[in-house]
Amino acid sequence: MTAVPFFDYSRHYLDDRDNYLKIIDEVSSKGAFIMQNELSQFEENLSSFTKAKYSIGVANATDGLEMCWMAIGLNPTDEVIISSHTMLATASAIKLAGGKPIPVDIGYDNLIDPLKVEEAINENTVGIMPTQLNGRTCDMDKIMSIANKYNLYVVEDAAQALGSSFNGKFAGTFGHASSISFYPAKVLGCLGDGGAILTNSENLFQTIYQLHDHGRDLNGIVRRWGRNSRLDNLNAAILDFKLKSYKDVIKRRRQIASIYQERLSTLEYINLPPAPGSEDKHFDIFQNYEITARNRNQLKKYLHDLDIGTLIQWGGQGIHQFKELGFDLNLPNTELFFKKCLMLPINLFISDNDVNYVCDSIIKFYK
Ligand SMILES: Cc1ncc(COP(=O)(O)O)c(C=O)c1O
């Protein structure tokens, strides 16, 4: 059997090389590198896809999250509640925007637990930043009702979730603003770093727009201090091309998730994410297929020896476990989760045969 890499970065380029080269040649020949029509076109198409009123292409999702909080404005004592199972970027965005990230434990679905969110609220709390993890949107009814009850801002970390929805509404469009990542391995990935901010608020749009382009407004007039965090026009053109077939990409990922579900759901030693189509409210895009497994480390090694790539998300640490960053919390669900979690390969470059090979190997390991 051939190897099944976790994600083949070369194929990310090579599988569509001719189209990319054509786009690069067309756009570069015009000298259209920064803030040109291709970027505006992509932002418009992203808005119509997600039904967000405004989209702003930015250099990466981390910058995007930070600028959302900068635009809202944070004081050093202001607390923003985040999930313990998320990327460092979620926490650093709050910290670097001047506030204090407060991680809380995950619930049964490994996403931020709304009960823990409410417990963590105090007089310093100004916001919640749920992570729409692995391409699954949190129960945003619960999160938004807590936010409304306590008058809190909500910025969604939708880096992993473009196209996923809850109750028919897309991730990234529930709160005041959100940030999406186009890192190459994301479901919509570009050739390098890239991201976008979504918001329905005209005020936040204006402020974030200025922040991402040296403080200049849409007419180029300087309104405030700002930075340079623009999405390259070349990458915007490539993303716009890829957005056209995005629904098919999601469909394929859901097919792979269904094969995993069909083949592995009877194994008593592992837990799988909810099967596609098994829940009315959630539509998941499977950015990752993250399981928990008994004897996880041995399983990982066994699969590695068979040339099957797997990954332990965030290097196996919850945010609150980074003592170097000043965290010192005990969040038992997350800690148990990180002893067992493992992501299986899920991407456009693997065939049904590859997925079945992964499943056969896991079944063999537990026999
Ligand atoms: C949950 C989450 N938040 C934020 C980010 C940061 O995205 P970027 O790499 O575009 O800055 C990522 C990217 O991996 C992510 O998975």
Side-chain angles (χ1 to χ4, degrees):
M1 209 44 215
T2 51
V4 186
F6 185 73
F7 185 86
D8 188 334
Y9 283 89
S10 306
R11 284 193 61 186
H12 172 63
Y13 172 66
L14 292 173
D15 280 16
D16 238 334
R17 185 181 188 206
D18 291 346
N19 283 316
Y20 296 151
L21 287 177
K22 196 163 157 265
I23 292 168
I24 291 166
D25 193 48
E26 268 173 30
V27 175
S28 304
S29 302
K30 290 192 291 185
F33 297 111
I34 305 290
M35 295 187 99
Q36 298 295 312
N37 285 345
E38 288 74 9
L39 175 59
S40 328
Q41 194 62 57
F42 173 60
E43 288 168 336
E44 230 170 79
N45 288 334
L46 193 60
S47 280
S48 29
F49 182 86
T50 56
K51 304 193 175 56
K53 208 158 168 195
Y54 305 101
S55 304
I56 306 171
V58 292
N60 55 71
T62 311
D63 274 9
L65 293 170
E66 188 183 334
M67 288 187 287
C68 289
W69 287 111
M70 284 172 76
I72 288 167
L74 293 177
N75 296 311
T77 53
D78 287 348
E79 297 187 357
V80 178
I81 298 167
I82 60 170
S83 173
S84 50
H85 182 4
T86 191
M87 199 201 181
L88 278 168
T90 323
S92 64
I94 298 161
K95 185 74 184 173
L96 297 179
K100 213 172 153 192
I102 306 291
V104 298
D105 215 347
I106 52 176
Y108 74 96
D109 59 357
N110 306 327
L111 303 174
I112 193 169
D113 184 346
L115 290 174
K116 303 288 179 200
V117 170
E118 193 156 13
E119 275 171 31
I121 292 172
N122 62 45
E123 68 280 5
N124 290 323
T125 310
V126 298
I128 310 170
M129 179 147 63
T131 297
Q132 316 293 22
L133 192 76
N134 294 336
R136 178 176 175 82
T137 312
C138 300
D139 184 333
M140 291 307 290
D141 282 350
K142 288 188 183 151
I143 307 252
M144 292 311 294
S145 76
I146 296 169
N148 292 334
K149 184 169 161 193
Y150 296 93
N151 202 17
L152 304 175
Y153 285 100
V154 174
V155 172
E156 292 165 70
D157 182 340
Q160 298 193 355
L162 175 64
S164 103
S165 64
F166 177 76
N167 264 344
K169 196 169 156 138
F170 284 113
T173 64
F174 289 87
H176 293 83
S178 70
S179 185
I180 294 170
S181 175
F182 304 126
Y183 179 83
K186 294 293 189 257
V187 182
L188 186 68
C190 64
L191 303 182
D193 273 319
I197 288 168
L198 305 179
T199 183
N200 288 320
S201 151
E202 151 104 48
N203 259 350
L204 284 177
F205 166 70
Q206 298 287 359
T207 310
I208 295 167
Y209 185 92
Q210 292 160 22
L211 286 171
H212 100 299
D213 185 34
H214 301 293
R216 296 180 292 213
D217 68 12
L218 286 158
N219 299 315
I221 298 167
V222 176
R223 303 285 182 187
R224 63 179 69 243
W225 290 106
R227 66 170 69 176
N228 174 358
S229 181
R230 303 174 299 220
L231 176 63
D232 285 350
N233 203 58
L234 272 176
N235 263 324
I238 284 164
L239 287 163
D240 204 35
F241 161 75
K242 293 185 78 170
L243 190 59
K244 291 184 177 64
S245 54
Y246 192 58
K247 284 189 179 151
D248 292 333
V249 171
I250 293 173
K251 199 167 157 198
R252 173 63 187 150
R253 294 183 90 101
R254 286 169 59 87
Q255 267 171 2
I256 296 173
S258 296
I259 302 177
Y260 279 134
Q261 171 72 25
E262 205 178 299
R263 297 287 321 277
L264 300 177
S265 61
T266 52
L267 278 187
E268 59 179 308
Y269 303 115
I270 61 178
N271 284 313
L272 306 178
S278 63
E279 301 158 301
D280 290 342
K281 289 188 174 177
H282 290 272
F283 179 87
D284 301 343
I285 62 156
F286 292 92
Q287 164 66 56
N288 301 308
Y289 195 84
E290 188 168 45
I291 66 169
T292 52
R294 195 187 289 183
N295 298 331
R296 187 267 316 268
N297 291 344
Q298 292 94 319
L299 173 65
K300 183 170 177 34
K301 182 173 182 318
Y302 180 82
L303 296 175
H304 174 265
D305 291 345
L306 294 171
D307 274 338
I308 296 170
T310 59
L311 204 70
I312 298 173
Q313 205 157 201
W314 326 130
Q317 260 180 295
I319 281 289
H320 69 288
Q321 294 174 300
F322 285 92
K323 292 215 161 43
E324 303 82 350
L325 302 180
F327 293 118
D328 189 16
L329 291 165
N330 172 27
L331 301 175
N333 292 346
T334 312
E335 276 155 48
L336 187 63
F337 176 83
F338 276 106
K339 290 195 173 96
K340 298 195 288 185
C341 64
L342 191 67
M343 301 198 293
L344 304 182
I346 186 163
N347 54 65
L348 285 197
F349 319 128
I350 57 175
S351 65
D352 286 5
N353 275 349
D354 292 333
V355 183
N356 277 310
Y357 173 54
V358 176
C359 294
D360 289 340
S361 308
I362 294 174
I363 291 165
K364 227 187 224 166
F365 172 78
Y366 284 113
K367 263 205 177 131

